[in-house]
Amino acid sequence: MTGVDTHQLEQLESNARREVAEAESLPDLTAIRAGYLGKKGSLAAILRGIGELDGAERAAVGKSANITKGRIEQCVAERRAAIEAAVRKQALGAQALDTSLPGVEDPPLGRLHPITRVFRDMVEFFSSMGFAIEEGPEVETQYNNFEALNIPEVHPARDEQDTFYVDGGNVLRTHTSNVQIRTMTGRTPPFRFIAPGRVYRHDLSPRHSPMFHQIEGFMVDEQVSFGDLKGLLMAFGRHLMGDDIELRFRANDFPFTEPSAELDYVCLLCEKQGCAVCSGSGWMEWGGCGMIHPRVLENCGIDSERYQGFAFGMGVDRTALLRYGIPHIRLLFEGDLRVLGRI
Ligand SMILES: [Zn+2]
C-alpha cells in the first residue's frame, strides 16, 4: 500500500469539518480553508503522493480526493453564509429603534424673547386704547428724522443722538419719531397711532446698545391736553409693571414737543437705592413725551391753530431689563440661554 489511502482523506475531511465549524470570523474561515484546500494545504500534500500509485488506484484516489474537496468547499460555504448572517443580524440589532423606550424627560421648551414679550404687551395695551399700528423705514432721510421734527442742522440734539450716517446722506433712524412725520403728513385728524421698531445710536453702556427698540405713540385731535397724555402713560406704566409702580414726570426740553417731559420710573433692580443700571440715581429714564410742537404739525400740513396732539417714545429694551431683572442690555442680544432660559 502506498502513502495515500481513503482513510487519510476521511480523516482530513473530518478535521476540516471540525475546524470550519469552530471558525468565528470570515478571516479565520479563509485561513482554515487555505490550510486544507490551498496550493500548500493538506489535500495538496496528500495528492502529491498519488504519483506512486498504479493507474487504477491513482484514478480512484484522485476521484475520492475531488469528492472530499467538494465536500469541504460546501462545508466552508455554509459556514461563511452563517457567519455573514450573524454579522448582519448584529449590525441590524445595533441600529434597531426600540419604540418602547421612554422618551427624553422634560425636553426644554422654547419661549418668546423678552423684547418680543414686552413689545406685545405694549401693543396690546395701546390697541385696547384705540391706537392703530404704523411702521416706518429704518434708513431714513435726514428731513424725516430731524428737520421735520424741528431739529435743524445746527441743533445740538443731532450730536447728542450720535447718529449713524449711511450712503446718500440718509441716516439710520435715531428714534421712531420719523413715523410721526410719515403718518401725519397728508392725514386729517383726529388720529392716534403707535409705531414700534428698531432704532440706532452710536452708544454702548449697561443701559445703551447701538441698536435698540422704541415704541412711539402720538394722538392728534381738537381737544387733546397734557393731562390726557399723563393719564395714558400712568395707565400704561401700571399695565406693564403692576399697580405699585412709581412713576414721575420731569420737565425736559425736546425740540419736537412743547412742553416736554421725561418719564421716569423707580429702578426695580435696586428699589431706589442706586445701582449700576440706573447710574446710582434710583430712577430709570423710560422715555420722553410732550405736546407735539406746533411747527411739527405745520410741517405735516396740519392746522396747529385747530389741532393739538401729544407724542411719546419709550425704550422697550430698558423696560425688559427692569421687568426681568437683567443687569446689562447686551445680555438681551447675546442669545445666551443661561440668561434667556430663566426669564
Ligand atoms: Zn438701580
Side-chain angles (χ1 to χ4, degrees):
M1 190 61 201
T2 65
V4 179
D5 59 32
T6 50
H7 177 69
Q8 272 185 299
L9 291 172
E10 282 166 16
Q11 188 65 45
L12 180 135
E13 184 182 334
S14 165
N15 291 343
R17 281 182 180 280
R18 184 172 39 78
E19 284 194 45
V20 165
E22 288 170 0
E24 295 286 346
S25 68
L26 293 177
D28 283 356
L29 188 64
T30 302
I32 291 165
R33 182 189 171 280
Y36 284 96
L37 305 180
K39 278 182 189 162
K40 295 177 181 171
S42 311
L43 187 63
I46 288 174
L47 289 177
R48 272 195 291 278
I50 67 172
E52 298 167 20
L53 301 175
D54 62 32
E57 273 187 317
R58 192 160 51 199
V61 174
K63 193 178 170 189
S64 293
N66 272 336
I67 290 169
T68 300
K69 185 183 178 192
R71 285 204 292 249
I72 295 174
E73 288 283 25
Q74 174 71 22
C75 182
V76 168
E78 284 168 9
R79 184 66 192 143
R80 172 171 288 118
I83 292 173
E84 284 173 349
V87 168
R88 208 162 37 241
K89 193 175 171 189
Q90 199 177 17
L92 286 173
Q95 295 169 9
L97 179 68
D98 184 351
T99 53
S100 68
L101 285 172
V104 178
E105 282 180 38
D106 296 330
L109 284 177
R111 63 188 82 189
L112 292 173
H113 193 276
I115 290 182
T116 307
R117 280 146 69 187
V118 171
F119 252 139
R120 288 192 178 183
D121 259 11
M122 290 176 159
V123 169
E124 181 189 286
F125 172 82
F126 286 111
S127 295
S128 76
M129 293 284 182
F131 283 72
I133 300 168
E134 271 293 328
E135 286 181 330
E138 290 170 28
V139 176
E140 185 54 284
T141 61
Q142 292 193 47
Y143 178 79
N144 282 343
N145 195 79
F146 293 124
E147 276 101 0
L149 287 158
N150 201 27
I151 310 172
E153 197 157 0
V154 293
H155 198 285
R158 291 217 186 183
D159 294 332
E160 285 164 16
Q161 293 194 349
D162 290 324
T163 311
F164 287 108
Y165 288 85
V166 297
D167 291 345
N170 292 325
V171 297
L172 295 184
R173 66 178 178 185
T174 56
H175 43 206
T176 40
S177 307
N178 64 325
V179 183
Q180 258 190 62
I181 303 304
R182 288 176 170 269
T183 308
M184 291 199 294
T185 303
R187 267 202 177 88
T188 307
F191 49 68
R192 48 186 125 175
F193 289 99
I194 52 167
R198 278 187 289 267
V199 300
Y200 303 84
R201 293 184 200 178
H202 202 286
D203 206 353
L204 187 64
S205 78
R207 285 176 299 173
H208 298 96
S209 152
M211 184 282 298
F212 56 105
H213 301 82
Q214 264 189 356
I215 190 161
E216 180 91 4
F218 51 96
M219 173 177 176
V220 180
D221 204 340
E222 289 186 29
Q223 303 272 337
V224 177
S225 70
F226 199 96
D228 297 327
L229 169 65
K230 200 170 171 184
L232 178 72
L233 294 183
M234 297 289 269
F236 179 45
R238 284 195 295 271
H239 171 81
L240 279 184
M241 301 290 184
D243 286 342
D244 298 333
I245 187 71
E246 211 177 321
L247 296 162
R248 74 177 181 190
F249 287 81
R250 196 158 40 84
N252 207 330
D253 184 34
F254 302 120
F256 33 78
T257 44
E258 181 60 39
S260 306
E262 192 87 49
L263 178 60
D264 300 340
Y265 57 110
V266 164
C267 175
L268 299 175
L269 291 175
C270 64
E271 295 185 338
K272 251 187 191 172
Q273 297 304 304
C275 67
V277 176
C278 62
S279 299
S281 71
W283 290 89
M284 286 285 287
E285 287 172 20
W286 195 14
C289 60
M291 300 305 290
I292 299 174
H293 197 291
R295 207 172 293 152
V296 175
L297 292 175
E298 296 292 340
N299 285 341
C300 297
I302 294 170
D303 179 357
S304 64
E305 295 293 325
R306 183 174 171 193
Y307 296 105
Q308 315 90 50
F310 63 69
F312 57 87
M314 304 292 163
V316 176
D317 317 68
R318 207 171 282 182
T319 310
L321 292 191
L322 269 282
R323 189 168 171 180
Y324 300 111
I326 302 168
H328 199 298
I329 200 165
R330 204 180 53 218
L331 293 169
L332 286 174
F333 305 118
E334 287 181 338
D336 188 336
L337 290 181
R338 288 171 301 177
V339 177
L340 299 181
R342 286 211 306 269
I343 296 167

